[in-house]
């Protein structure tokens, strides 16, 4: 994973003390600069060099603002280390001060002369430290320009990466010494800056941990660390030993990691990219990086002066590359538009007192990488253009890994979780329909004027989507129509689809297994390989969705550019596979929360679900990589989950989840998921009455530390943001962009119409209307027309009345019932079903029974439309026997008995319900028990 390039590596650190602590402007005093380097003739020995400023070492400012750093310049310090360690001889220099001007100066001035000097005598040096944001800022900021008019300001030659400062290219600094003239000497330094913060796994990148790995224990001076100036005055030997300790750890750690005198990669993730590229090159049988770019990425480098395609894709434009041909250009653009991040969503908010489990896909992104098929860029990567037709499963001959991208519209059936992503602002949504997406999302696109005529702009409403999610949509029953799409030509290898990333990742997995055997599971080396492997996806996706960073040289924000392996095709397919897998599971398992590569659910065993076939894709990759097809693992389990928002949930169980939604844990509270931290977050979340103030101490940004005007020194800064833990307040609305839309609750509106309409119409009129309607359209056979009309009238009229009775009962309950349910974390549906409805129905039972009695009596109205019921039968009997008074008396007795029986049953049922509710209280249970130990 290393670069393989050789160079002198120098460990570096500083010691400093803050004056005026507790004030808005703390002055920093530089106490020492310390360096550590291996002896040139015997690498078993080190030179530890400490430079002590003998005058006031306070960081200087001009006119009250704009830091000018400490007293010593970086070039002078490195030159001194090379001289005192004797490395200048090993590097072949004629003099420790460098080369005399007369020996390299050529006509043309400074610039061509420097080219000659560096070509023949350039000295390559790696200056490495730990958290260089604190240490590089201690060097003096040059006040004098070089011969080419530029400053040797190291802070304008580095960039921020993985929490530290690094240089992407070697920094040229020629250190001059002696009197001006032909005998003046120049030491041509080419300095590569590296930071060990980015050379270890997150959470294991402290100097103490790094020292344990390389066998150099981290020293401790206790409270003296707060005033190193005093320690220097009082106990200089201890100060010197402690000061150089950190520089020694940096040197020894990088040597243990990459080898003696080897230039480390920019970051550990950069090492992963190098390893991925090497593995792909081996698999494809190619040797050059240029051929790798062409075959794997579909890109070629552009010569100086050659015109580049201006298509807005910064990831290759910044690296002076361009697609290999027109097919590749179309594919890069399409997959870039279909690229989105992981699926993160809070699906259910509240308190879950039942057992819940946090399931993660094991090595989700490496597994997805191993499934992606290589594309044939050499023979034109587009195999089929799909245009203006419906998409079908037949368009995916390789299943979910078919390389396909398309601009589509869609409509999902109800009852499924939609799976096609759409970017709206900074958010990703998954709408049921594509209606209103595309041109319709543009500002003021309701009506567009053409040639002074106002017309409706009825464009194709849709979005770019990737193959895995498109196939899942079809399997979920969605209707998908393609406006334009591309199915790519795959690269074959021995009659099978080529998967170069599977081979590369498999090698890294094998290296990790070997590291486990040699250094042990959980060792820093094993974690380092794990981080490098997992970071490969990040390098594949770097700047596909454009990211901007601070360019300290030109002092402006600009695109960071792609990595050596950036590929929108691979990035989009990988993320689409992982998202589709989770979305497929969401259609088979009830999920509570989703976070990138896993979810929380009440289901214990999720390995049995196939996710519509996506589980087999990941099982195949897992089997190929590690020989185990098991996909899921349980990361956390709890029975007290509080789910608040996306990436915001907590359990008080030590093994439970804790995601703080961006909140910083205050000082004094043990971090890392301690019970104290969990209780703090739980209390903060449940007791909030708005956004949560979250003050914390940090340090200036890289932009603030490196800008020319009003540059800040490295010192603590207090920031006080307000963090929202509310589900519906993820972003602050911009008032100027707000608009008023009418949102109607369709279900409530329809229900209100039905209740009010049918409650107002006489039930007899409803029966007659239904009889005529059913007869006209022959809905029922003639023998059942009267029965159907009676049922229709009684159902709609009495149903509307009973609905109003229950609504009144719910509204009559004390507000405390609903508030208590909310406090318990119950959802609205659960509150209605478990708390409100049982009480409302019990309270309104007499009114409900009275309405049922009325419905029974109203059934007699059916005789008007020919329905034979009790009254109709009584009249027919009276007509036959000519005894109307007796017949009607019998009918009345029957109706009285039925209604009285119904009333008595309702009273009995109401008593049972009330007694049952009482019997469930702890007090009632206590009456049926006897004290423990009582005599019978």
């Amino acid at each position: 994973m290393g670069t393989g390039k050789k160079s002198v590596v120098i460990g570096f650190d500083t010691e400093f003390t803050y004056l005026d602590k507790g004030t808005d402007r703390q002055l920093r005093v530089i106490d020492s600069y310390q360096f550590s380097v291996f002896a040139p003739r015997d690498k078993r020995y080190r030179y530890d060099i400490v430079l002590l400023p003998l005058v006031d070492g306070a960081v200087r400012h001009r006119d009250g603002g704009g830091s000018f750093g400490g007293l010593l310049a970086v070039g002078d310090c490195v030159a001194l280390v090379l001289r005192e360690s004797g490395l200048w001889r090993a590097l072949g220099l004629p003099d420790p001060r460098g080369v005399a001007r007369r020996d390299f100066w050529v006509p043309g001035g400074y610039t061509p002369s420097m080219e000659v000097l560096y070509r023949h005598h350039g000295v390559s040096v790696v200056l490495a430290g730990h958290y260089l944001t604190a240490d590089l800022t201690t060097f003096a900021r040059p006040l004098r320009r070089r011969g080419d008019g530029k400053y040797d300001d190291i802070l304008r030659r580095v960039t921020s990466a993985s929490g530290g400062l690094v240089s992407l290219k070697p920094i040229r600094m020629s250190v001059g010494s002696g009197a001006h003239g032909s005998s003046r000497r120049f030491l041509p330094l080419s300095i590569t800056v590296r930071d060990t913060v980015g050379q270890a796994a997150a959470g294991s990148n402290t100097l103490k941990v790094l020292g344990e790995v390389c066998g150099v224990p981290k020293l401790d001076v206790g409270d003296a660390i707060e005033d190193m100036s005093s320690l220097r005055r009082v106990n200089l030997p201890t100060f010197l030993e402690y000061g150089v300790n950190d520089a020694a750890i940096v040197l020894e750690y990088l040597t243990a990691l990459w080898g003696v005198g080897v230039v480390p990669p920019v970051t550990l993730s950069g090492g992963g990219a190098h390893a991925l590229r090497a593995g792909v090159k081996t698999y494809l049988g190619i040797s050059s990086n240029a051929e790798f770019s062409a075959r794997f990425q579909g890109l070629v480098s552009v010569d100086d002066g050659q015109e580049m395609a201006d298509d807005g894709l910064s990831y290759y434009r910044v690296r002076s590359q361009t697609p290999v041909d027109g097919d590749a250009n179309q594919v890069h653009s399409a997959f870039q538009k279909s690229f989105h991040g992981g699926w993160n969503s809070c699906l259910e908010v509240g308190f879950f007192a039942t057992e819940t489990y946090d399931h993660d896909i094991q090595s989700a992104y490496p597994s997805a990488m191993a499934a992606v098929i290589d594309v044939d860029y050499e023979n034109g990567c587009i195999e089929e253009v799909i245009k203006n037709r419906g998409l079908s499963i037949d368009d995916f001959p390789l299943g979910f890994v078919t390389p396909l991208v398309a601009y589509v519209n869609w409509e999902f059936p109800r009852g499924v979780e939609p799976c096609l992503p759409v970017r709206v602002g900074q958010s990703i949504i998954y709408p049921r329909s594509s209606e209103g997406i595309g041109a319709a999302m543009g500002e003021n696109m309701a009506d567009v004027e053409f040639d002074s005529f106002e017309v409706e702009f009825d464009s194709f409403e849709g979005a770019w989507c990737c193959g895995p999610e498109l196939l899942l949509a079809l399997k979920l029953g969605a209707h998908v129509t393609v406006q334009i799409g591309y199915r790519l030509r795959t690269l074959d290898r021995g009659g099978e689809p080529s998967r170069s990333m599977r081979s590369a990742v498999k090698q890294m997995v094998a290296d990790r297994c070997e590291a486990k055997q040699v250094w042990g599971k959980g060792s820093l080396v094993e974690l380092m390989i794990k981080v490098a492997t997992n970071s490969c996806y990040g390098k594949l996706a770097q700047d596909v969705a454009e990211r901007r960073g601070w360019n300290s040289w030109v002092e402006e924000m600009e695109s960071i550019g792609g990595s050596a392996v950036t590929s929108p095709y691979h990035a989009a397919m990988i993320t689409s596979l992982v998202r589709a897998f989770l979305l497929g599971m969401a259609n088979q398992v009830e999920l509570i929360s989703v976070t990138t590569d896993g979810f929380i659910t009440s289901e214990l065993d999720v390995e049995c679900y196939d996710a519509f076939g996506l589980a087999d894709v990941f099982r195949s990759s897992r089997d190929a990589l590690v020989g185990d097809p098991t996909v899921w693992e349980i990361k956390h389990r709890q029975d007290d989950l509080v789910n608040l928002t996306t990436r915001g949930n907590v359990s008080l169980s030590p093994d439970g989840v804790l995601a703080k939604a961006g909140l910083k844990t205050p000082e004094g509270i043990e971090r890392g998921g301690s019970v104290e931290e969990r209780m703090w977050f739980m209390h903060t979340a449940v007791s909030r009455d708005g956004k949560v103030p979250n003050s914390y101490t940090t340090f200036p940004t890289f932009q603030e530390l490196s800008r020319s005007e009003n540059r800040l020194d490295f010192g603590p800064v207090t920031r006080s943001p307000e963090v929202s833990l509310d589900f519906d307040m993820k972003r602050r609305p911009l008032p100027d962009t707000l608009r008023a839309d009418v949102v109607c609750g369709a279900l409530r509106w329809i229900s209100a119409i039905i209740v009010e309409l049918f409650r107002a119409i006489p039930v007899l009129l409803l029966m007659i209307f239904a009889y005529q309607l059913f007869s006209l359209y022959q809905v029922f056979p003639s023998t059942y027309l009267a029965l159907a009309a009676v049922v229709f009238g009684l159902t709609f009229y009495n149903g509307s009345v009973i609905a109003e009775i229950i609504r009144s009962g719910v509204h009559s309950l004390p507000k405390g019932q609903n508030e208590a349910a909310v406090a318990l974390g119950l959802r609205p549906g659960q509150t209605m079903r478990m708390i409100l409805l049982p009480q409302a129905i019990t309270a309104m039972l007499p009114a409900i029974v009275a309405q049922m009695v009325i419905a029974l009596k109203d059934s007699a109205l059916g005789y008007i439309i020919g329905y034979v019921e009790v009254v109709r039968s009584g009249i027919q009997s009276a007509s036959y026997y000519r005894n109307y008074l007796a017949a009607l008396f019998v009918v009345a007795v029957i109706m009285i008995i039925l209604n009285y029986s119904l009333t008595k049953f309702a009273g009995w049922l109401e008593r049972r319900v009330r007694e049952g509710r009482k019997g469930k209280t702890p007090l009632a249970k206590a009456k049926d028990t006897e004290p423990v130990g009582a005599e019978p």
Side-chain angles (χ1 to χ4, degrees):
M1 293 193 298
T3 63
K5 299 177 182 178
K6 289 291 186 176
S7 177
V8 174
V9 180
I10 302 174
F12 163 61
D13 186 42
T14 63
E15 298 301 332
F16 49 82
T17 302
Y18 286 110
L19 304 180
D20 302 323
K21 293 183 179 179
T23 63
D24 293 337
R25 185 161 192 140
Q26 299 184 29
L27 182 66
R28 186 165 63 144
V29 175
I30 311 305
D31 296 304
S32 64
Y33 301 80
Q34 43 269 359
F35 303 86
S36 185
V37 64
F38 287 122
R41 295 186 178 180
D42 192 341
K43 305 302 182 185
R44 294 176 300 172
Y45 298 96
R46 289 194 321 263
Y47 281 95
D48 293 338
I49 301 172
V50 181
L51 307 182
L52 301 177
L54 299 181
V55 295
D56 180 15
V59 172
R60 292 168 294 156
H61 294 266
R62 181 177 60 187
D63 298 329
S67 168
F68 276 79
L71 293 173
L72 304 183
V74 59
D76 294 335
C77 291
V78 173
L80 187 147
V81 171
L82 296 179
R83 184 186 71 202
E84 296 301 321
S85 64
L87 279 167
W88 63 276
R89 294 190 184 91
L91 295 171
L93 292 173
D95 188 279
R97 298 172 297 167
V99 181
R101 184 179 187 273
R102 60 177 172 270
D103 294 333
F104 68 87
W105 204 263
V106 297
Y110 180 87
T111 301
S113 299
M114 286 295 121
E115 289 297 327
V116 173
L117 176 63
Y118 274 92
R119 188 182 311 123
H120 297 288
H121 303 286
V123 177
S124 176
V125 173
V126 174
L127 185 65
H130 188 81
Y131 194 48
L132 286 177
T133 308
D135 297 318
L136 277 187
T137 50
T138 62
F139 287 117
R141 180 179 172 188
L143 297 177
R144 297 181 59 183
R145 298 178 185 270
R146 304 183 317 199
D148 59 358
K150 299 178 180 179
Y151 292 100
D152 277 330
D153 185 355
I154 195 167
L155 286 177
R156 294 188 61 190
R157 312 286 288 278
V158 294
T159 189
S160 178
S162 298
L165 297 182
V166 299
S167 61
L168 301 181
K169 294 180 180 180
I171 303 169
R172 285 187 174 186
M173 287 187 179
S174 58
V175 182
S177 59
H180 289 280
S182 61
S183 62
R184 181 174 174 80
R185 291 187 176 272
F186 291 85
L187 181 62
L189 298 176
S190 185
I191 303 175
T192 298
V193 178
R194 292 292 182 262
D195 199 320
T196 50
V197 168
Q199 299 284 332
S204 302
N205 56 0
T206 64
L207 277 172
K208 181 179 180 181
V209 176
L210 302 188
E212 292 172 353
V213 171
C214 62
V216 182
K218 177 78 170 75
L219 300 182
D220 185 8
V221 293
D223 294 337
I225 192 67
E226 298 295 330
D227 190 353
M228 294 301 290
S229 296
S230 296
L231 182 64
R232 172 181 163 178
R233 289 193 304 270
V234 174
N235 193 340
L236 183 59
T238 299
F239 175 87
L240 295 175
E241 183 181 11
Y242 174 82
V244 82
N245 177 244
D246 290 355
I249 291 175
V250 169
L251 175 65
E252 296 285 359
Y253 174 75
L254 291 178
T255 301
L257 199 60
W258 305 112
V260 178
V262 176
V263 178
V266 175
T267 60
L268 196 56
S269 60
H274 283 296
L276 177 66
R277 181 169 64 181
V280 171
K281 287 164 63 176
T282 300
Y283 177 86
L284 296 178
I286 56 181
S287 57
S288 70
N289 291 337
E291 191 174 0
F292 167 84
S293 295
R295 294 188 180 277
F296 183 80
Q297 299 171 283
L299 298 173
V300 292
S301 297
V302 179
D303 295 332
D304 292 339
Q306 184 176 343
E307 184 178 352
M308 293 176 58
D310 186 13
D311 50 13
L313 303 183
S314 61
Y315 62 89
Y316 62 71
R317 187 180 65 249
V318 172
R319 296 179 64 89
S320 298
Q321 292 181 309
T322 193
V324 295
D325 57 20
D327 275 11
N329 190 71
Q330 295 298 317
V331 166
H332 275 255
S333 179
F335 275 102
Q336 188 267 343
K337 291 180 176 65
S338 70
F339 172 77
H340 305 292
W343 183 31
N344 297 281
S345 181
C346 178
L347 302 179
E348 293 190 49
V349 179
F351 174 67
F352 299 84
T354 57
E355 195 83 12
T356 56
Y357 307 90
D358 180 11
H359 297 273
D360 275 10
I361 306 171
Q362 298 190 71
S363 303
Y365 286 90
S367 298
M369 289 168 60
V372 176
I373 297 172
D374 295 325
V375 172
D376 185 359
Y377 285 106
E378 186 174 7
N379 297 300
C381 59
I382 297 178
E383 183 173 42
E384 180 186 0
V385 177
I386 305 172
K387 182 72 174 172
N388 294 330
R389 67 171 174 84
L391 201 63
S392 71
I393 292 180
D394 294 336
D395 290 309
F396 298 84
L398 298 175
F400 285 101
V401 296
T402 301
L404 187 147
V405 63
Y407 190 79
V408 299
N409 67 16
W410 62 87
E411 181 75 32
F412 281 89
R414 294 195 174 275
V416 304
E417 187 76 33
C419 66
L420 295 181
V422 175
R423 181 176 295 278
V424 178
Q426 297 300 314
S427 300
I428 304 298
I429 63 172
Y430 295 84
R432 189 172 304 283
S433 168
S434 60
E435 182 179 357
I437 296 171
M441 296 169 65
E443 186 176 358
N444 300 324
M445 283 300 295
D447 295 294
V448 181
E449 288 190 9
F450 289 101
D451 299 329
S452 300
F453 293 96
E454 197 173 277
V455 298
E456 184 177 350
F457 189 76
D458 189 15
S459 66
F460 187 94
E461 298 176 335
W464 284 99
C465 297
C466 211
E469 285 157 315
L470 288 171
L471 180 54
L472 177 61
L474 294 175
K475 293 196 173 189
L476 291 174
H479 178 72
V480 181
T481 303
V482 179
Q483 185 187 47
I484 182 68
Y486 311 107
R487 184 160 59 84
L488 307 189
R489 180 174 286 106
T490 58
L491 192 65
D492 288 338
R493 181 182 175 91
E496 295 291 331
S498 173
R499 287 184 169 93
S500 60
M501 286 197 301
R502 174 175 291 188
S503 175
V505 174
K506 187 174 182 179
Q507 180 58 52
M508 285 188 274
V509 170
D511 292 341
R512 182 183 172 190
C513 292
E514 184 177 352
K516 287 181 182 179
Q517 296 175 355
V518 176
W519 285 281
K521 184 177 181 180
S523 66
L524 196 61
V525 177
E526 188 257 335
L527 290 176
M528 181 266 293
I529 300 176
K530 176 184 177 181
V531 171
T533 304
N534 291 336
S535 66
C536 288
Y537 159 72
K539 289 298 180 180
L540 287 165
Q542 182 172 309
D543 207 35
V544 172
E546 185 176 2
R547 291 174 53 201
R548 302 181 71 80
W550 175 250
N551 184 327
S552 58
W553 182 250
V554 298
E555 297 194 66
E556 63 182 27
M557 300 296 291
E558 65 177 20
S559 299
I560 64 172
S563 72
V565 296
T566 294
S567 169
Y569 159 68
H570 294 93
M573 284 292 292
I574 292 166
T575 53
S576 181
L577 279 169
V578 176
R579 281 196 311 268
F581 191 12
L582 295 174
L583 287 158
M585 293 294 292
N587 280 279
Q588 294 180 334
V589 182
E590 186 175 350
L591 306 185
I592 299 170
S593 178
V594 182
T595 309
T596 305
D597 60 354
F599 52 73
I600 300 176
T601 180
S602 59
E603 293 271 356
L604 173 61
D605 180 18
V606 297
E607 197 73 39
C608 58
Y609 294 98
D610 69 343
F612 300 88
L614 278 152
D616 290 336
V617 175
F618 281 80
R619 290 187 185 116
S620 175
S621 290
R622 291 278 304 161
D623 193 33
L625 293 178
V626 298
D628 180 6
T630 304
V631 173
W632 297 98
E633 62 177 341
I634 296 178
K635 287 284 188 177
H636 307 281
R637 60 178 69 203
Q638 56 277 315
D639 58 5
D640 59 346
L641 173 68
V642 176
N643 201 39
L644 299 163
T645 184
T646 302
R647 296 185 178 274
N649 41 50
V650 60
S651 163
L652 295 183
S653 169
D655 297 326
V657 298
L658 175 60
K660 296 177 291 185
L663 276 183
K664 304 287 186 180
T665 303
E667 295 294 332
I669 294 180
E670 183 183 354
R671 305 183 184 186
S674 67
V675 174
E676 183 184 15
E677 185 179 31
R678 294 171 184 274
M679 293 184 68
W680 159 78
F681 182 72
M682 175 81 80
H683 179 267
T684 301
V686 301
S687 63
R688 73 192 190 279
D689 56 5
K691 290 188 175 182
V692 179
N694 191 215
S695 297
Y696 62 93
T697 300
T698 183
F699 294 94
T701 64
F702 175 55
Q703 178 178 347
E704 294 170 329
L705 293 171
S706 62
R707 63 196 181 195
S708 296
E709 299 297 326
N710 196 28
R711 177 181 294 185
L712 299 184
D713 185 34
F714 180 83
V717 177
T718 299
R719 305 193 191 276
S720 302
E722 290 188 335
V723 180
S724 172
L725 298 180
D726 298 335
F727 178 75
D728 57 347
M729 290 182 61
K730 294 181 179 179
R731 290 169 299 281
R732 181 189 298 273
L734 300 176
D736 293 338
T737 66
L738 296 179
R739 66 177 187 271
D741 287 340
V742 177
V743 181
C744 63
L747 185 59
R748 178 176 296 188
W749 193 56
I750 293 172
S751 299
I753 290 177
I754 292 175
V755 169
E756 296 300 326
L757 177 65
F758 289 103
R759 197 160 58 103
I761 301 176
V763 67
L764 179 58
L765 185 58
L766 286 176
M767 292 179 183
I768 296 174
F769 171 81
Y771 186 90
Q772 296 296 330
L773 181 68
F774 297 158
S775 176
L776 179 62
Y777 292 97
Q778 299 181 354
V779 178
F780 297 99
S782 58
T783 54
Y784 294 103
L785 278 177
L787 174 62
V790 170
V791 171
F792 177 91
L794 293 177
T795 300
F796 277 88
Y797 177 81
N798 292 284
S800 300
V801 175
I802 291 175
E804 186 63 17
I805 292 172
I806 294 177
R807 187 192 68 82
S808 300
V810 170
H811 287 182
S812 69
L813 295 176
K815 290 184 179 180
Q817 297 294 314
N818 189 66
E819 292 171 354
V822 172
L824 290 173
L826 296 180
R827 299 183 296 278
Q830 292 176 314
T831 301
M832 181 63 70
R833 184 176 68 256
M834 301 168 61
I835 305 296
L836 302 181
L837 274 182
Q839 297 183 72
I841 292 176
T842 302
M844 305 305 292
L845 198 56
I848 294 174
V849 172
Q851 190 60 37
M852 294 175 66
V853 170
I854 293 173
L856 181 61
K857 293 190 293 183
D858 284 347
S859 64
L861 297 175
Y863 85 96
I864 296 177
I865 57 175
Y867 176 62
V868 179
E869 37 72 63
V870 175
V871 176
R872 183 76 173 180
S873 298
I875 292 176
Q876 289 177 347
S877 299
S879 177
Y880 183 81
Y881 293 105
R882 298 181 182 278
N883 191 350
Y884 282 91
L885 186 60
L888 294 176
F889 179 81
V890 171
V891 169
V893 170
I894 293 174
M895 296 295 287
I896 290 171
I897 292 173
L898 289 175
N899 288 323
Y900 182 76
S901 300
L902 184 61
T903 302
K904 294 297 289 183
F905 172 77
W908 172 83
L909 180 62
E910 183 180 1
R911 287 193 301 274
R912 285 295 303 270
V913 171
R914 293 187 186 279
E915 291 173 359
R917 289 170 60 83
K918 290 180 180 179
K920 292 182 180 180
T921 63
L923 182 60
K925 287 185 177 180
K927 291 179 180 179
D928 298 329
T929 62
E930 56 185 17
V932 177
E935 295 182 1

